[in-house]
Amino acid sequence: MSARHFPNPFPDHVDGSMLLQENGMLIEPIKDSVVKIIQHLERMSESPDASRPDDISIYTGSTGAAYLHYLKYLRSGDRRTLDTARQMVENSVHTGLDGTVSFILGDTGVFALGAVICHAQGDKKRRDEFLGLIGWMESATDNTRVPDEVLYGRAGFLYGLLFVAHQIPDQDVIGPDIITRTVKRILESGVNTAKREQCSWPPLKYYWHKHEYVGAAHGYCGILHTLLLARNFLSQDELTNLVRPTIDYVLTLRHPSGNFQSSAGSSDDKLVHWCHGAPAAVHLFSLAYKVFDDEKYSKAALQCGEIVWERGLLQKGYGLCHGAAGNAYVFLRLYQLTYDQKYIHRAIKFAEWIGDYGKHGCRVADRPYSLFEGIAGTIYFLYDLLIPAKSAFPAYELPNI
């Protein structure tokens, strides 16, 4: 087991200590300290952005910065932050699109966030233009070369549809047919791959670059998590006989430590990231428990939480995809699962560690100011930490208003 993390220096939670106010926010002394960290990091992020000028993605580009401003609007109601987010999205559109279908690394993220922001501004005409562009993107998901995973593929497109439908409630802006068709394509792809391999279990098989990945970015956890988010568009038969058995298959892809393999059969137990390893499993199994009410899923999620507490302060840095902030979302999700304030304590301790941003000798991210690799995502986590019950991993879980 290679050392890719720093030893966790923090004591665990003391039973009985209350960390939340009645309104669901952190108690004042802790809230104030988190706000100070946010302010410190926001001052740091005022430096010129080091990302490529043509990068418009949510992952490392300008639309990711817009996503952070949209969260600030949701939390504060400050319409100036909404205006800033709108300008960033419009700049992304004019910078250039490449036809990639996913939300995090594709044009769908630009269009979906644009539609939601314009709706919040009352600009129905521009909102509908963005929605039309999302509909136009659907045909690309028919291409057999399009993968099924979250970062580049059909699950990422499906998330974009769900994001819009969730953020514009009581509006028939995303028809159920396009969501259902996208779900069917993902399921059919998994079924067809299993049939080609003459595989009876699991009933759904997915590959990316010839590897049977397990994590959120490219593998089973991300695809199945998104399908569960779309569960209202699946039949009971599809949930029971396709999705659930494949989730049970994922449960078997573990190292002796309890951490999840990066790809099926891998013996290298070194990655504890959202993109690969236990953190993604927490999100999948927490949602699976909510859907299926089976304690084996909540047990798996809680076990993975222990791995993240032990090995989650990463030498790779502070970001969402493969950093301490992304791992800290595990504790916010487990708080929502259990309402045990132990997990709030753990998230706070990771935030304290993040407060010394840049002082641990971590690797500097290629895009140091971006949402998924850099400081914008770290700030996003800290805003969510202020109200743990409303937290949601950006571009993966559905935002809580």
Side-chain angles (χ1 to χ4, degrees):
M1 191 182 300
S2 65
R4 296 203 170 200
H5 64 279
F6 297 96
N8 186 336
F10 300 111
D12 210 347
H13 183 245
V14 177
D15 290 341
S17 59
M18 300 300 294
L19 301 170
L20 298 177
Q21 304 177 58
E22 289 185 3
N23 62 4
M25 297 194 73
L26 296 177
I27 58 175
E28 287 299 333
I30 298 174
K31 174 188 169 185
D32 291 345
S33 66
V34 172
V35 169
K36 287 179 181 177
I37 297 171
I38 291 172
Q39 292 169 342
H40 169 62
L41 296 184
E42 286 184 331
R43 287 192 296 270
M44 289 177 61
S45 67
E46 291 172 359
S47 303
D49 198 323
S51 62
R52 297 191 308 269
D54 61 339
D55 187 346
I56 65 169
S57 71
I58 282 175
Y59 190 85
T60 49
S62 53
T63 310
Y67 201 115
L68 174 59
H69 283 281
Y70 179 63
L71 174 77
K72 292 180 184 180
Y73 162 72
L74 292 180
R75 294 289 181 261
S76 69
D78 185 347
R79 299 193 72 84
R80 293 173 298 178
T81 62
L82 191 64
D83 294 340
T84 300
R86 167 74 176 272
Q87 187 59 54
M88 289 177 170
V89 169
E90 296 291 1
N91 289 344
S92 296
V93 173
H94 293 301
T95 296
L97 306 166
D98 65 6
T100 306
V101 302
S102 73
F103 185 84
I104 296 176
L105 271 168
D107 298 349
T108 298
V110 180
F111 302 149
L113 187 60
V116 166
I117 290 170
C118 290
H119 178 80
Q121 289 182 320
D123 187 346
K124 184 176 182 297
K125 180 177 181 296
R126 185 58 172 150
R127 180 201 74 183
D128 291 346
E129 289 173 354
F130 278 122
L131 292 173
L133 291 168
I134 296 173
W136 175 78
M137 293 290 294
E138 183 195 2
S139 61
T141 65
D142 260 339
N143 189 324
T144 56
R145 289 179 293 181
V146 172
D148 295 287
E149 42 87 276
V150 165
L151 279 194
Y152 292 98
R154 295 185 183 96
F157 180 71
L158 175 59
Y159 179 87
L161 301 177
L162 297 172
F163 174 81
V164 174
H166 181 266
Q167 293 295 283
I168 310 179
D170 303 321
Q171 300 281 336
D172 190 21
V173 294
I174 293 290
D177 290 348
I178 187 174
I179 298 177
T180 301
R181 287 193 300 269
T182 304
V183 166
K184 297 291 186 187
R185 289 187 183 102
I186 296 170
L187 294 176
E188 288 171 1
S189 176
V191 167
N192 290 338
T193 300
K195 285 181 177 177
R196 281 197 303 271
E197 296 188 0
Q198 299 181 335
C199 173
S200 61
W201 190 78
L204 302 174
K205 293 273 278 187
Y206 296 103
Y207 289 86
W208 190 75
H209 285 200
K210 300 182 180 180
H211 289 280
E212 195 179 350
Y213 280 105
V214 179
H218 303 299
Y220 285 107
C221 284
I223 296 167
L224 294 167
H225 183 268
T226 310
L227 287 171
L228 288 182
L229 290 178
R231 60 191 175 275
N232 292 338
F233 300 90
L234 280 78
S235 69
Q236 190 58 50
D237 179 70
E238 289 167 337
L239 274 173
T240 302
N241 296 319
L242 294 178
V243 173
R244 187 172 184 179
T246 308
I247 294 173
D248 291 343
Y249 169 67
V250 174
L251 271 173
T252 70
L253 303 177
R254 305 180 78 167
H255 297 294
S257 70
N259 190 27
F260 278 79
Q261 299 166 9
S262 58
S263 59
S266 170
S267 61
D268 197 354
D269 182 2
K270 61 184 180 182
L271 302 181
V272 182
H273 309 164
W274 170 81
C275 48
H276 301 291
V282 170
H283 294 284
L284 172 61
F285 293 123
S286 294
L287 185 54
Y289 175 71
K290 178 179 179 180
V291 174
F292 300 113
D293 194 26
D294 188 329
E295 288 189 359
K296 69 183 177 186
Y297 300 130
S298 59
K299 180 180 178 181
L302 293 171
Q303 289 172 341
C304 286
E306 298 306 309
I307 294 167
V308 177
W309 175 241
E310 179 184 350
R311 297 168 56 188
L313 297 173
L314 299 179
Q315 294 184 4
K316 275 199 167 186
Y318 310 89
L320 293 177
C321 184
H322 36 264
N327 284 351
Y329 264 107
V330 162
F331 306 128
L332 297 180
R333 186 66 187 88
L334 290 176
Y335 169 71
Q336 294 170 351
L337 177 70
T338 65
Y339 296 104
D340 186 341
Q341 294 202 26
K342 170 176 75 173
Y343 296 109
I344 303 298
H345 167 87
R346 291 180 172 187
I348 291 167
K349 292 305 175 185
F350 271 46
E352 289 179 9
W353 193 82
I354 287 167
D356 289 326
Y357 200 99
K359 297 180 181 179
H360 302 98
C362 298
R363 184 178 72 83
V364 177
D366 295 336
R367 304 288 179 262
Y369 304 105
S370 65
L371 186 67
F372 265 73
E373 288 189 357
I375 201 167
T378 308
I379 293 169
Y380 197 110
F381 156 68
L382 293 166
Y383 271 106
D384 260 354
L385 174 58
L386 295 174
I387 315 177
K390 288 190 173 184
S391 67
F393 196 109
Y396 190 61
E397 298 178 302
L398 293 172
N400 289 312
I401 301 174

